[in-house]
Amino acid sequence: MTTESPILEMHDVRYRWPGRTSFGLEIPVFRIAAGETVLLLGESGSGKSTLLSLICGTVTPASGSVSVAGTDIATLSAGQRDSFRAEQIGLIFQQFNLLPYASVLDNILLPLRFAPMRRNRLASPHQAAADLCDDLGLPAHTVRARAGTLSVGQQQRVAAARALIGAPPLIVADEPTSALDAATQTTFLELLFAQARAHNSTLLMVSHDARLADQFDRVAEMSDVVTARRAAA
Amino acid sequence: MILRLAFASLMARALTVAMTILAIALSVALFLGVEKVRTGAKASFADTISGTDLIVGARSGSVQLLLYSVFRIGNATNNMTWESYRDIEARPDVDWIVPVSLGDSHRQFRVMGTTTAFFDRYKYRSGQSLSIRDGQVMDDLFDTVIGADVAETLGYETGDPIVVAHGLASFIEHDYQPFRVSGILAKTGTPVDRTVIVSLKAIEAIHVDWQSGVKIPGQSTPVDVIRQLDLEPQAVTAALIGVKSRLQVFGLQRAINEYQQEPLLAILPGVALQELWQIVGIAETALIAVSGMVVVTALIGMMATIFASLNERRREMAIFRAMGARPRTITGLLVLEAALMAALGAVIGLALLYVGLAIAQPVVDRAFGLWLPVEAPTLREFSVLAGVVCAGVIVSMVPAVRAYRMSLADGMMVRI
């Protein structure tokens, strides 16, 4: 189920990495409706990481607006952007996603440390983390295990649980399946979709693997979204 | 949770972290150890003499007089005559006076001639008196009472014969006049432990056949004859004095220092000790500075370790950033980590110090006569430990600021 109100809206965004004159990108319009699952396809170097950094507010555009859940994050201070990210966005990376020395439980609960509203949505964060692990097919005893001792597939599920805990409105996944084999990829995506729906979260996944396309509500090509400029500006 | 994660992160790098903590611990133990030895030595010196108002000897330096008369360090440049001694003894403000005659030795230990009043009048460590562990004080002319260390080192028991050598480190022995150990003193932790005490008359007795420090060739007076001689001494090395009223101390000191018949020097033991501290103060400061530099070096080592770990931990910092941690949280984590390492180093250092003290205490006492008390840490020691943690935190600011900049530049996207 998708609704029409946008969870992410980017307008006339222009960005250039500080100190670099040779690379910048422009995003005329990019919108994702709440509850949508969107696959953003793009090759390496197409500006995917920069786009995600703009959405997450770790970098700010030179001009234009980036709105997440109705808030233009460019208007927030650096500290406010960090808190906003913690509250509104659940992140899953390609790999090396977890703090290997910390327990699975601590990894899952980590974003709540910086997101009091997300934490307050949960009656018992520990129980919520255990339930998510269960829903994502992780054995109960893994909750206490050190994250570094899990298989890559299990680690990605823990990363998914960490992104989903406290039901942030937007889940951003940066090539989360690239380190997984085909069978594990399918299972992981099925679980991720199911949980994103269960938590009413919107899912934006970035990948270079077009085979995943038919599992998403919508597919966008990076080249359609972003104009990367490599010539000297 | 952040504290737990910081601790888990440290545990994940256990070997490097353990080495860093060990370096800090050893440096802290060294620093505190130097402090203990310094204060122990001071206390040991200060405890050596108590209840004596003045020390009198031939005119030299006050520190020199204190060192040779009480600590048996160095030698007297001259003696004071027996007449002068008797003159002072006869003064109305003098409550008691004990002569000290030095110059001979037995093995590595000094021989001191005195009267039996020494055993009543000499006090140490806030007024404690000497006590005989075994036997009794000198009864016969050739009786000797030995200190606890003399008995322990040389394995002497009461009744054993000993022969006194002329002078220090000398091969010429007074072997015609052997002594008998009549008593062994209980341990005091003062130079008395390393002293062979004989009567003042005995000192005269063993020098009957000597003139001007040289043995008269071919002369050896039998012991029986010596016993019949008038053995009143002609001179003593120094004298310990107690006055009837503390108010009279300065008056008596001035009178002795202005004594017309002979150039004498009277010193207040406490004042002379202060002068001694002033002399050794520079060396003390240098010692503290060197051990302080060792602590600084260990902390700089910790800074280097944190610096070295920054690059491999960029992913960790990126994860924190992605989860919403501010760059200052990353900085705080590194500072917290440094504080944990420094605090652990300080606590382990303190533990090492006490283990070291427990092991070294009897050895140092035997070797140097220095009693290092194993007592609860003082406020000063706690402030040293707190200072180490604070210094650790300050030093960690350097890599922490670098981490701050890195995490700002990297954001949450690090590909390693």
Side-chain angles (χ1 to χ4, degrees):
Chain A
M1 273 293 283
T2 63
T3 59
E4 283 305 308
S5 59
I7 190 76
L8 172 70
E9 197 163 21
M10 300 175 91
H11 270 294
D12 297 329
V13 172
R14 283 165 185 270
Y15 179 76
R16 194 162 60 209
W17 281 102
R20 286 196 218 170
T21 53
S22 60
F23 181 66
L25 53 83
E26 291 173 12
I27 303 155
V29 180
F30 184 50
R31 258 173 122 246
I32 299 177
E36 230 184 343
T37 58
V38 176
L39 177 66
L40 191 59
L41 283 174
E43 296 305 316
S44 297
S46 59
K48 288 179 295 185
S49 295
T50 309
L51 176 65
L52 292 187
S53 295
L54 282 164
I55 293 170
C56 292
T58 50
V59 294
T60 47
S63 63
S65 71
V66 180
S67 293
V68 176
T71 302
D72 184 355
I73 57 177
T75 62
L76 302 177
S77 69
Q80 286 170 327
R81 286 201 303 275
D82 290 331
S83 299
F84 185 81
R85 176 171 65 255
E87 294 286 3
Q88 305 293 334
I89 304 172
L91 273 158
I92 309 169
F93 296 119
Q94 190 173 348
Q95 55 179 327
F96 310 118
N97 235 324
L98 308 175
L99 299 174
Y101 50 77
S103 71
V104 165
L105 186 66
D106 278 343
N107 267 289
I108 296 173
L109 298 177
L110 184 61
L112 303 184
R113 168 71 181 69
F114 306 104
M117 286 194 292
R118 251 169 101 175
R119 187 170 58 231
N120 292 341
R121 278 201 284 270
L122 302 167
S124 163
H126 284 67
Q127 190 54 50
D131 291 346
L132 273 167
C133 285
D134 190 35
D135 293 342
L136 287 162
L138 286 164
H141 64 84
T142 50
V143 174
R144 299 278 164 202
R146 269 180 59 231
T149 61
L150 303 185
S151 69
V152 178
Q154 285 177 318
Q155 286 192 29
Q156 285 305 69
R157 291 180 200 199
V158 174
R162 185 184 60 190
L164 288 160
I165 195 158
L170 178 62
I171 305 288
V172 173
D174 183 9
E175 307 233 25
T177 56
S178 63
L180 306 178
D181 59 56
T184 321
Q185 266 186 11
T186 311
T187 318
F188 176 76
L189 282 179
E190 280 170 3
L191 288 167
L192 184 61
F193 281 125
Q195 290 303 313
R197 280 189 203 103
H199 289 83
N200 289 322
S201 297
T202 306
L203 178 64
L204 169 63
M205 187 165 129
V206 177
S207 177
H208 64 275
D209 190 352
R211 289 171 302 173
L212 305 171
D214 54 357
Q215 300 183 55
F216 286 81
D217 295 339
R218 183 155 69 93
V219 177
E221 293 281 347
M222 271 301 284
S223 53
D224 296 335
V225 174
V226 168
T227 313
R229 287 187 292 108
R230 291 181 175 280
Chain B
M1 182 189 205
I2 291 290
L3 187 69
R4 195 166 63 241
L5 288 178
F7 195 72
S9 172
L10 284 177
M11 291 301 287
R13 288 169 284 125
L15 190 65
T16 330
V17 169
M19 290 296 125
T20 309
I21 290 174
L22 185 66
I24 296 172
L26 286 175
S27 70
V28 166
L30 176 72
F31 187 82
L32 293 180
V34 165
E35 270 294 286
K36 279 273 183 208
V37 171
R38 194 177 68 87
T39 50
K42 262 190 170 179
S44 201
F45 261 65
D47 282 348
T48 296
I49 189 154
S50 151
T52 297
D53 296 314
L54 287 172
I55 300 170
V56 185
R59 192 165 294 167
S60 55
S62 54
V63 172
Q64 191 190 3
L65 173 56
L66 178 80
L67 288 178
Y68 72 68
S69 64
V70 177
F71 297 101
R72 324 265 186 271
I73 298 170
N75 294 305
T77 45
N78 211 341
N79 288 334
M80 63 188 283
T81 62
W82 188 243
E83 287 74 29
S84 303
Y85 175 86
R86 297 302 296 268
D87 256 11
I88 296 167
E89 188 181 24
R91 287 182 63 91
D93 40 6
V94 172
D95 184 27
W96 56 264
I97 182 163
V98 173
V100 170
S101 191
L102 300 160
D104 288 336
S105 62
H106 173 66
R107 305 280 186 91
Q108 67 270 47
F109 301 105
R110 297 223 179 177
V111 173
M112 181 181 83
T114 184
T115 59
T116 48
F118 178 79
F119 298 100
D120 303 323
R121 297 301 184 185
Y122 178 82
K123 309 274 188 224
Y124 67 101
R125 206 166 296 159
S126 321
Q128 280 193 51
S129 296
L130 296 174
S131 67
I132 301 271
R133 189 187 75 195
D134 197 11
Q136 58 184 38
V137 295
M138 300 88 79
D139 190 29
D140 182 70
L141 179 64
F142 292 105
D143 273 356
T144 174
V145 172
I146 56 175
D149 288 352
V150 180
E152 194 186 329
T153 310
L154 303 178
Y156 287 160
E157 288 174 14
T158 49
D160 284 353
I162 67 170
V163 172
V164 171
H166 183 74
L168 306 172
S170 161
F171 297 107
I172 308 164
E173 297 195 317
H174 298 288
D175 44 5
Y176 287 101
Q177 300 93 12
F179 283 82
R180 183 188 68 94
V181 177
S182 71
I184 297 170
L185 291 168
K187 179 93 180 163
T188 62
T190 71
V192 173
D193 294 342
R194 297 181 300 284
T195 306
V196 174
I197 302 170
V198 299
S199 69
L200 208 54
K201 286 187 173 179
I203 293 286
E204 291 304 312
I206 57 178
H207 291 104
V208 163
D209 298 327
W210 290 64
Q211 205 166 43
S212 305
V214 181
K215 193 170 190 315
I216 302 163
Q219 186 175 320
S220 73
T221 313
V223 169
D224 295 343
V225 177
I226 291 175
R227 286 182 190 279
Q228 309 303 319
L229 296 175
D230 175 18
L231 294 171
E232 188 174 81
Q234 292 173 355
V236 292
T237 313
L240 311 180
I241 296 174
V243 291
K244 286 182 179 147
S245 160
R246 297 300 295 265
L247 298 171
Q248 297 166 324
V249 170
F250 295 105
L252 181 62
Q253 185 188 22
R254 194 166 51 249
I256 295 172
N257 286 339
E258 290 169 358
Y259 189 66
Q260 293 298 319
Q261 286 75 6
E262 189 182 3
L264 295 177
L265 175 69
I267 58 161
L268 287 100
V271 175
L273 262 180
Q274 285 305 319
E275 279 181 41
L276 183 63
W277 298 150
Q278 279 170 13
I279 295 166
V280 297
I282 298 164
E284 267 187 307
T285 312
L287 201 61
I288 294 169
V290 169
S291 52
M293 285 309 291
V294 175
V295 177
V296 171
T297 309
L299 290 174
I300 290 173
M302 178 181 77
M303 181 174 80
T305 310
I306 298 175
F307 254 125
S309 72
L310 281 188
N311 224 22
E312 66 190 62
R313 295 170 67 194
R314 285 171 86 166
R315 166 64 57 184
E316 177 187 329
M317 292 191 274
I319 291 169
F320 271 103
R321 290 281 286 133
M323 294 306 112
R326 296 178 186 190
R328 69 167 186 236
T329 309
I330 308 286
T331 311
L333 261 174
L334 287 186
V335 173
L336 180 68
E337 196 174 277
L340 274 173
M341 281 199 274
L344 268 172
V347 170
I348 294 171
L350 190 67
L352 279 178
L353 171 75
Y354 279 97
V355 171
L357 271 181
I359 296 169
Q361 192 185 48
V363 181
V364 172
D365 183 33
R366 260 200 308 277
F368 307 105
L370 183 63
W371 184 251
L372 300 174
V374 183
E375 292 164 343
T378 60
L379 195 64
R380 183 179 159 79
E381 281 161 341
F382 276 122
S383 45
V384 166
L385 297 184
V388 168
V389 178
C390 287
V393 166
I394 291 167
V395 161
S396 72
M397 293 291 180
V398 183
V401 166
R402 168 118 177 94
Y404 181 90
R405 290 194 179 139
M406 273 166 76
S407 65
L408 263 184
D410 287 347
M412 47 183 209
M413 304 295 169
V414 183
R415 310 233 183 253
I416 298 169

